[in-house]
Amino acid sequence: MEQKKPVDRRLQIVEAAAKSFAMFGYKATTMELVSKIAAVGKGTIYTFFATKEDLFSEIIGQLCTELRVLAERVIDRERNFFDNLAAVLYELLLFREKHELIVKLSQEVRDIGTPMAKDGIAKMETAIHTFIKHEVELAVQKGELRAVNPGLTAFMMLRMYVALGAEWNKHHEPLTREEIADYFTSLLRDGITAN
């Protein structure tokens, strides 16, 4: 006789909350709504999470871990720094554009400015920035980059890539992935002097 696996209530609650936050945003999600989606009593939720903020923080933490794992999977230590950077940024931004929760939170920040939604987006940005900063530090150690401020350099790289991938096409012909990678890489590697 096959034994049933016990139901992981915590996981069930986290998955239901993620679904609710993705469909309705942070502000409109209530513990009542999460309990309905999870098919558990509200009291069960409170045995694992004291507040909606705690539940939201758990989900954002999981998303940050997913982003890091994705970035690590894309890195190929046989490739040069710039090729890896362009590949990682492309995959991370594609993930952000396609992930329902991130899209909904970005929309909520834009439309309402909900502080917790802003905080969630900021934590994901920090996770991406931290990963790039670490890669910049490794590239400096390996001699692929000159000595630079890793945090500031990572910030500029991330902002430039986001601008090319998302902002440019609001008023111009969209660039392909290859065009973004080529321009991004050549500008960072070669600069803009006429030498």
Side-chain angles (χ1 to χ4, degrees), residues 16 18-19 86 95 162 168 180 187:
K19 191 178 292 185
F95 179 85
V162 169
W168 172 263
I180 293 170
L187 189 62

Side-chain angles (χ1 to χ4, degrees), residues 129 150-162 184 188:
H129 176 264
L152 183 58
T153 302
F155 175 82
M156 294 299 294
M157 289 173 164
L158 179 57
R159 289 289 167 238
M160 187 170 108
Y161 196 90
V162 169
F184 178 78
L188 287 171

Side-chain angles (χ1 to χ4, degrees), residues 137-148:
E137 291 167 343
L138 288 176
V140 169
Q141 288 172 8
K142 288 169 43 181
E144 288 186 89
L145 297 178
R146 66 179 173 79
V148 294

Side-chain angles (χ1 to χ4, degrees), residues 59-95:
I59 292 164
I60 293 300
Q62 288 179 4
L63 265 177
C64 290
T65 299
E66 278 184 65
L67 287 168
R68 190 180 67 252
V69 168
L70 173 65
E72 288 168 354
R73 201 171 46 236
V74 171
I75 293 285
D76 175 356
R77 296 294 172 202
E78 299 300 312
R79 283 192 304 219
N80 69 53
F81 169 78
F82 291 107
D83 289 344
N84 271 326
L85 180 64
V88 164
L89 287 172
Y90 175 80
E91 291 300 328
L92 291 175
L93 296 180
L94 187 64
F95 179 85

Side-chain angles (χ1 to χ4, degrees), residues 24-27 104-114 117:
F24 306 110
Y26 178 82
K27 192 170 183 131
K104 187 65 176 178
L105 291 177
S106 298
Q107 192 177 41
E108 186 172 340
V109 167
R110 191 175 54 249
D111 296 346
I112 305 171
T114 307

